[in-house]
Structures are given as structure tokens and as C-alpha cells.
Amino acid sequence: MNGAALSDWLVVAPLVLGLVGSGLCAVFWWRPLAQTIIGFATTIAMTVTAAMLFARVLAGGPQVMAMGNWPAPFGIVFAADTLGAGMALLTALVGVLTLIYSMGDQSEDFRRAGYTPLLLAMLAGVTGAFLTGDIFNLYVWFEVLLIGSFGLLVLGGRKDQLEGALKYAVLNLLATTIFLIATGLLYGLVGTLNMADIAVKVAAVENRGLVNAIAALYLMAFGMKAAAFPLFFWLPASYHTPQPGVSAIFGGLLTKVGVYALIRTFTLIFPLDGGIFNDLFMWIAAATILFGGMGALVQTDLRRLVAFTVVGGIGYMLVGLALTTHAALSGGLFYMLHSVLISTGLFMAVGVAGRIGGAFDTSVLAGIYRATPAFAAIFLLGAFVVSGIPPLSGFWPKVVLVQASIAAGQPWLAAAVLTGGFLTLLAVSKAFALAFWRDSEAPLPVPETSPRAFASLMGPTAVIIVMAAMLGMFAEPAARIASAAAEELLRPAAYVAAVLGDGA
Amino acid sequence: MEPLFAIVIGIMFAITVFLFLSRSFVRIVLGIFMLSNATHLLIFTAGRLTFESPPLIPYDQSVPIEAIANPLPQALILTAIVISFALFAFVLILTYRAYQELGTVDVDEMNASEPRAAASEEAAE
């Protein structure tokens, strides 16, 4: 028996590293410093391996590894295509930045309570979800990331945190259970769990009613995970309650796992063919954009405002999926890249603003511009990025989506995209005017943060927001990668052949 | 046999929905427990029910001689049971901690994370 080639291990390397790092951190439970060092070593190694994997996928198409050398479709396979490997790379990158941020954000107590191992476990879960090629395995990764996120959410144990965690826990458990129900039914229908194999067999099923019912269950489960309308209410109820660093990584990554799962299932297993599901997706996308924008507009708590912009962002990605044209899907994927960076960045920035001003609510918070003009400039840049001011990165995917909507004969969807951008701009401008520009009546509280901690909060915030902005100025490579990823998704034959072998 | 299982699963889902509609959080948590159990039964049934033929292969054979029960759904259920049990325990403890902090398990009174204070302040102005 010849083992898997060493290079094949690259496919699972990022997530194995995450799990090992998490376990190692748990070994050094009482030594926060050791945990932090392990955390950095792990996330940096994850970034490097994910980057290598991504380079290989770009050069040579989908990379596949069969666990335990069981040939597909019998064993569990891990399959990285452009979308999956790219998202794994982003996950690791955001992980590194969040760890730097939490050096200033998380107190010693939280680190002793297991912050780093939980974070690494969650990162491993997210990476696993992006890389697996087996639908039951996807469920397991969902649960892994859910367990990690539960722990991170309740760290600190404040009143509102516990309550937010309850709502988050119940609704997310419900979503994963619906996912499991759908998977059970799908297994009963086609008798396989390998996603590529399912794709081949579902296409041959004659009972389309049953297939559509299962697809609807998946839509509900992943829609809830992705915080799409009308199932997003758990997100603004819980994402603002933990420490800002935790909110940042939640806002940046977790909902995108839901969107990723939607994109994967509805391009590979139940390809959208212009039927009822396309219409459904269009309505969901438009409603998510508008409710996200309107929700952001009425918030006074900056953290909740950002949470609603995260919800709105989900809508743009779904527009790409709903239209199912190559241009639209690549626009949606480009938006996903943008949204991972800017959602993380804005949550981080809001955390810094709260540190400086001593509050998160714009009815109290004021005068940050006078205190720290440089930080105000960074926040403003982030605000412009998220609302899609040209030439920043929110702008280009929206151009593509508007063009694609009109080309597909759905101008109302283009209107929703534009209105959503406008609402977001209003919301963030209002926040900037109140919290930053307005002079504070009382002097700002003297921050308890040491200059060193402050630097570690500020550094990653600035880096990620500037990265998101630069993404717009140098949009060409990102757009090309998004286009290649969309191409792969719309023509899954290469993915299926890579997983099942060329004989299938 | 499958129709009987289907009916039982249906009843369990109905109980779940009833429990979810309750205002008491403890009942909602019990609903999650019921839901995961119903799901396990559903996977079991979806894998087809086979009687008295364990998935065993005789010593000198490499493939089973006759039709056997499908072991895969049972492996899936085992995984799902472990996960759902752990998460159920977590949510149960979380509910208890929330009860200690908030002094209530009534979902209508849980509004610490989404305060209505802002709305009432505006009304007062």
C-alpha cells in the first residue's frame, strides 16, 4: 500500500496545524505566554501552508487528498479548489491579525480561560469546512467551529454576553441540525456522502420533487448560517456582545462559511438552472441587502451597526449566486474577499473607538477625531471601503453585480445593490459624524490601555483596513482569481474528475 | 417498517416544534434535544432498515455473501450523537448560567443583549 504523497498532505495541512496547535495550547493551559507563542506559530504556519496550497491550486487545478487512502467515493476526501483554498488562506491571515489584536484586547484572565485554544479550534473548523469534499464531514467541521465560537462568545461571562450566546447557540444548533436532516435524506436518496459523487448521482435522480425538498432544507440551514434574510436575527443579537477581537473574527469569517456552503451546494450538488431557486435567491439577496442597510441605519451602538453591515454584505454575495452567470458569480466572490477583510477591520476599528471613547453608543461616544486624528482617518477609510466608494474595494464587485443584474434582465436587483450601498454609506457617515467629528462635551476618559496594548490594537486594524482599500486600487489580480474560481464553480466537471478520478 | 418509523419521527418533530414555540428557555433547550434525537432516527431510517443481518463478513471471504445491514448510517449517527450530546450539555449549562445572571428563563424578558432602552429614551424625549 503506497501512502499518500507528501505533497498531498498540503491539502489538509492548514487544518491539521490548527487542530494540533489548539491541542498544544490546551497542554499549556496555565501559561498564557506559551499559548500566545503557539498561537502565532500555528496561525503563521497555517498561512504559509494555505498560501502554498493556493499557489498549487492556481497552477494545477483542484487538489485532492483521500483520507486513509480510501479511494473516493468511499473514504472522506479533502478537495481544494480556487474558492476553498483561497478562503483557507484568508482564514489563516485573519487569524494572525486577530491574534495580534487580541494581545491588546484580551486580558490575562481571558487567556487563562482558554482564549487561544478556542480560537485555533475555530480556525481549524472554518478551514476544514472550506477544504472538505464530503458532506457529512462538512457537518462535522460546522460543529467544530460552532463549539469554538461558543467558547469565545461566552468568554468573560457578562450578562448580555450570556444572553447573546444563548440566542446564537440555539439558532445555530437548529441550523446545523437542519443541515444534518437534509444530509440524512440526501444519503437515503443517493447512498453516498462524497460531494462530487452526490453531484453525479443527484443529476440522475428522477424524483425531482424530493431533490428540491432536500435543496430547500439546505437553503434554510446554510441561509441561517450565512445570516441571510429572513434568518439573520441571531447575528445582530449576539455578534456585538463578546470582546471586539472575537467579534472581528466572527464577523469576518463565520457567516462566510455559510455563504461558501450555499455556493458549494447550489453550484455542485443542486446547480441553479433558472428555476424557482434562482428567483428565491434573488429575493433573499435583495431583502438581505436592504434589511442589512436599514438595520445599520437605525443603530446607535457602533458594534451593532457593523453587525448589520455584515448582514448586508451577505446579500451582495448571494446576488452573485442568484444570477448564476459567470460575471455575477465572480463579482459575488470578489465581494466575499472584500467582505472578509472589511468586516474584520471595521469590528476591530470599532473596538479601538470604544477603547478611546469609553463607550460604543453614539449617543455618548464623541470627540475621537480630536483625540486621535490618525485613527479617525483609518476608520473613515474603512467606512468608505464598506460602502463602496470608488476606487476602493467595495466598489468594483458592485459594478460587476449591477452590470450582471441588468444583463440578466433583473434591473430591480441592480437597484437593490445600489440602494444597499447608499444606505450603508448613510449609516457609516452618521456614525463617523457623531462619534468622531462631534466634539465631546465631557473630556474623554483616560484610557486604561497601555501604549503597547494600544499599538497591538491599532496595528492589525490599520493593516487590514488598508489591505481592503488597496484591494480596490489593485483590483485586477483579485478579479482574475475570482473569475477563475467562478469558472470552476460553474463547470464542476473538473472538480468532479479530480475527486473521483478520471475514470468516473 | 419504514412507514412506522416515519410516523414516529414525524411525531417527534411535531413535539420539537411545540417545545420551540414555548417562552420558557428550558423547554426550547429540551426541544433541541428532541430535535437531534428525531434527526438520528431519521438518518437511521433513511439508510434503510434491515433485519437480523449484521454487517459481518465471514473469515475466508472478502465480500459479504448476502444482503447486510448498512453500517454507514450507524457510524454517522454515532458521530452525530456525540456532537449533539456535548452541545446539549453546553447549552444546558449556558441556560443555567444565564438564569443565574438574568434571573429569568422567559425569552420575552431576555433583552440585555438587545436593549429596548434606546427606543424608550426616544419616546421620553
Side-chain angles (χ1 to χ4, degrees):
Chain A
M1 185 175 141
N2 50 348
L6 202 59
S7 58
D8 284 353
W9 283 92
L10 199 56
V11 178
V12 290
L15 70 102
V16 170
L17 282 168
L19 287 177
V20 170
S22 175
L24 268 181
C25 280
V27 172
F28 292 98
W29 189 259
W30 300 110
R31 302 175 66 183
L33 183 66
Q35 288 189 16
T36 309
I37 293 169
I38 295 169
F40 275 112
T42 309
T43 45
I44 290 169
M46 281 170 81
T47 314
V48 172
T49 47
M52 284 160 65
L53 176 63
F54 189 51
R56 270 175 71 109
V57 170
L58 281 186
Q63 302 287 315
V64 178
M65 187 216 177
M67 273 287 152
N69 239 5
W70 283 90
F74 301 109
I76 292 172
V77 297
F78 283 83
D81 62 352
T82 311
L83 175 62
M87 289 307 287
L89 177 57
L90 268 181
T91 305
L93 205 62
V94 171
V96 176
L97 290 171
T98 307
L99 266 180
I100 302 174
Y101 188 87
S102 40
M103 302 262 291
D105 179 43
Q106 299 284 338
S107 69
E108 186 88 337
D109 291 349
F110 289 166
R111 260 179 247 188
R112 280 184 196 281
Y115 170 75
T116 320
L118 286 169
L119 184 72
L120 291 180
M122 197 186 84
L123 288 176
V126 173
T127 315
F130 287 140
L131 294 180
T132 188
D134 183 282
I135 197 133
F136 191 79
N137 200 238
L138 182 62
Y139 160 76
V140 174
W141 291 118
F142 265 90
E143 296 286 22
V144 170
L145 76 89
L146 208 53
I147 291 166
S149 68
F150 285 166
L152 292 174
L153 204 54
V154 296
L155 222 55
R158 284 192 334 273
K159 220 177 183 178
D160 60 334
Q161 246 179 321
L162 290 171
E163 199 193 292
L166 262 187
K167 293 170 183 170
Y168 175 86
V170 167
L171 288 171
N172 275 283
L173 277 181
L174 184 61
T176 38
T177 311
I178 294 173
F179 175 19
L180 187 60
I181 293 169
T183 305
L185 291 173
L186 190 60
Y187 177 75
L189 188 65
V190 296
T192 175
L193 292 166
N194 181 303
M195 289 203 264
D197 199 28
I198 292 175
V200 175
K201 294 207 169 123
V202 163
V205 171
E206 279 173 20
N207 188 349
R208 297 320 288 180
L210 196 52
V211 172
N212 282 342
I214 294 171
L217 277 175
Y218 276 114
L219 172 60
M220 200 161 128
F222 294 145
M224 213 153 161
K225 283 274 168 196
F229 178 84
L231 305 167
F232 64 80
F233 293 98
W234 57 271
L235 193 149
S238 61
Y239 268 30
H240 64 289
T241 57
Q243 300 297 308
V246 175
S247 299
I249 199 153
F250 278 22
L253 292 178
L254 295 192
T255 47
K256 275 68 180 184
V257 180
V259 177
Y260 166 83
L262 275 178
I263 292 178
R264 181 65 76 205
T265 38
F266 283 92
T267 53
L268 184 63
I269 301 176
F270 312 105
L272 294 170
D273 50 7
I276 176 104
F277 278 104
N278 277 87
D279 291 340
L280 202 56
F281 265 111
M282 279 185 222
W283 284 106
I284 291 173
T288 310
I289 291 172
L290 295 178
F291 274 80
M294 290 191 288
L297 202 53
V298 297
Q299 296 305 319
T300 56
D301 187 321
L302 283 183
R303 296 168 302 176
R304 284 175 55 99
L305 189 153
V306 176
F308 270 104
T309 64
V310 171
V311 172
I314 300 302
Y316 299 107
M317 298 165 219
L318 293 182
V319 170
L321 183 58
L323 294 171
T324 338
T325 59
H326 175 254
L329 193 55
S330 46
L333 294 179
F334 191 171
Y335 199 91
M336 198 156 154
L337 168 63
H338 148 86
S339 179
V340 169
L341 295 177
I342 197 60
S343 305
T344 314
L346 277 183
F347 264 120
M348 284 179 173
V350 162
V352 177
R355 276 297 172 94
I356 296 171
F360 289 106
D361 204 296
T362 47
S363 59
V364 191
L365 187 65
I368 298 177
Y369 176 71
R370 184 142 297 181
T372 48
F375 169 64
I378 290 172
F379 185 89
L380 189 63
L381 182 65
F384 283 161
V385 170
V386 77
S387 41
I389 301 287
L392 304 170
S393 69
F395 172 69
W396 301 110
K398 277 181 198 161
V399 171
V400 175
L401 288 175
V402 166
Q403 279 178 342
S405 315
I406 292 171
Q410 309 286 353
W412 63 277
L413 207 52
V417 168
L418 294 173
T419 315
F422 177 64
L423 287 174
T424 314
L425 181 61
L426 272 185
V428 289
S429 316
K430 195 188 82 176
F432 186 78
L434 287 176
F436 286 77
W437 255 349
R438 185 175 53 158
D439 274 333
S440 176
E441 287 162 13
L444 287 179
V446 180
E448 303 152 22
T449 322
S450 70
R452 195 160 146 254
F454 196 70
S456 75
L457 288 175
M458 209 57 156
T461 311
V463 165
I464 204 160
I465 288 181
V466 170
M467 260 168 75
M470 296 302 267
L471 183 65
M473 316 237 201
F474 303 97
E476 178 68 28
R480 210 168 331 119
I481 291 170
S483 167
E487 180 74 28
E488 271 180 20
L489 290 169
L490 291 176
R491 287 183 224 293
Y495 178 90
V496 171
V499 173
L500 296 181
D502 294 313
Chain B
M1 201 61 187
E2 275 92 350
L4 183 63
F5 269 74
I7 292 167
V8 171
I9 295 164
I11 292 172
M12 286 173 81
F13 278 126
I15 296 172
T16 306
V17 172
F18 177 76
L19 287 171
F20 273 155
L21 293 176
S22 165
R23 273 171 49 186
S24 161
F25 217 96
V26 179
R27 282 188 169 200
I28 296 176
V29 172
L30 289 174
I32 292 178
F33 191 58
M34 190 54 114
L35 179 67
S36 54
N37 280 331
T39 309
H40 302 153
L41 261 187
L42 180 135
I43 299 172
F44 185 59
T45 315
R48 308 295 187 273
L49 303 172
T50 320
F51 283 103
E52 294 170 351
S53 46
L56 297 175
I57 300 169
Y59 182 72
D60 51 352
Q61 301 285 320
S62 60
V63 286
I65 301 166
E66 51 195 5
I68 54 162
N70 186 353
L72 189 66
Q74 302 178 23
L76 301 185
I77 295 167
L78 201 56
T79 315
I81 287 176
V82 174
I83 293 172
S84 69
F85 181 71
L87 291 180
F88 175 66
F90 175 81
V91 175
L92 210 54
I93 292 168
L94 188 61
T95 311
Y96 182 62
R97 279 286 289 129
Y99 171 67
Q100 283 181 324
E101 289 287 327
L102 305 164
T104 179
V105 286
D106 188 327
V107 285
D108 279 358
E109 289 167 21
M110 288 188 175
N111 42 26
S113 67
E114 294 169 288
R116 293 187 186 144
S120 55
E121 266 171 29
E122 276 169 21
E125 277 170 18

